[in-house]
Amino acid sequence: MENKHTGALSGVGFYATLAICLLAVGVGGYFLLFGGQETAQEEEEAPQTAVTAQAPEIPAEDPVETVSPAELTEEEPPEAEPAPVLDDTPVVAAIPQVVVAPLEGEVVAAFSVDQLAYNETLGDWRTHDGVDIAAAEGTSVLAASGGTVLSVSDDLLMGTTVVVEHADGYQTTYANLQEMPPVAQGDTVTAGQVIGAVGTTAPAESAQGPHLHFSVSKDGDAVDPDTYLNG
């Protein structure tokens, strides 16, 4: 008898337990199904607020001026100074223009080209392109300035004559010299160099005695010897 009741109770207990388990599974499944949807919906409906961090303000920098390559080439480079040109021409010392009197003595016939002067020897009136300086025969005659002997000749009227060419177109003439003067054509002479001696080789002026006829010209025109010597 006891066993029957115990088997009955055991059968009821088994089914009760099974019912409770099914109920628990049903409730759990309900909450799992519908509770998950509500949670997802709430999450969808919830406002999404994104927090964006503000970037710190960077101070503005001054604009950098850019230069194009074309602008860089506009300014021409400075020209290189030319190398100095050396002048290798030999330096020749200039001879100072020294003028000396060819002879010291009395002037017996003055320079006169602007007016006629009476010539006692020839007995007529004529011009005189130089000066006649009286001196003893054989007295040395000097070159008035440096130059080159242009000619040595025996003139029929002026006697033995030496002509010296100088710079700047000047020429000096020494006449009535003794024969065979110590210079020849082409010789270079210096101021004060002996180029002859006082003579009497000028037939037309022999009456005046021994003297030197000295005349000066520039570019072919007569010049007063006094001006040339003291100029």
Side-chain angles (χ1 to χ4, degrees):
M1 195 71 182
E2 249 178 24
N3 289 335
K4 288 181 180 181
H5 289 291
T6 304
L9 288 173
S10 298
V12 174
F14 171 77
Y15 288 108
T17 303
L18 179 62
I20 291 170
C21 290
L22 291 174
L23 180 61
V25 170
V27 172
Y30 175 80
F31 280 106
L32 180 63
L33 177 62
F34 293 101
Q37 290 180 352
E38 289 179 359
T39 304
Q41 185 176 1
E42 288 177 358
E43 289 179 357
E44 289 179 359
E45 291 178 356
Q48 297 182 2
T49 56
V51 179
T52 305
Q54 268 189 335
E57 292 185 0
I58 300 175
E61 296 182 357
D62 294 333
V64 178
E65 183 178 355
T66 59
V67 181
S68 64
E71 292 177 348
L72 291 175
T73 57
E74 285 181 1
E75 184 177 352
E76 296 182 357
E79 294 183 1
E81 295 184 0
V85 179
L86 299 178
D87 186 2
D88 56 357
T89 303
V91 178
V92 179
I95 301 175
Q97 190 68 19
V98 179
V99 179
V100 299
L103 180 67
E104 296 294 337
E106 181 185 358
V107 176
V108 293
F111 173 78
S112 177
V113 293
D114 296 331
Q115 58 184 0
L116 296 175
Y118 183 73
N119 189 301
E120 295 182 357
T121 304
L122 300 177
D124 60 6
W125 293 82
R126 60 179 59 201
T127 59
H128 194 229
D129 64 351
V131 293
D132 292 343
I133 305 171
E137 190 171 357
T139 303
S140 295
V141 175
L142 313 179
S145 184
T148 303
V149 177
L150 188 62
S151 64
V152 177
S153 63
D154 291 322
D155 190 273
L156 294 176
L157 295 177
M158 304 298 294
T160 301
T161 303
V162 173
V163 179
V164 179
E165 186 174 37
H166 310 280
D168 301 327
Y170 282 99
Q171 288 184 5
T172 53
T173 300
Y174 311 81
N176 198 34
L177 301 176
Q178 289 183 342
E179 295 180 355
M180 303 295 293
V183 293
Q185 182 179 356
D187 288 352
T188 299
V189 296
T190 58
Q193 180 177 333
V194 176
I195 58 172
V198 175
T200 55
T201 55
E205 299 185 2
S206 59
Q208 290 181 306
H211 66 278
L212 168 69
H213 174 82
F214 175 64
S215 62
V216 181
S217 67
K218 176 176 172 56
D219 299 326
D221 297 327
V223 176
D224 186 346
D226 184 63
T227 302
Y228 177 74
L229 295 174
N230 301 304

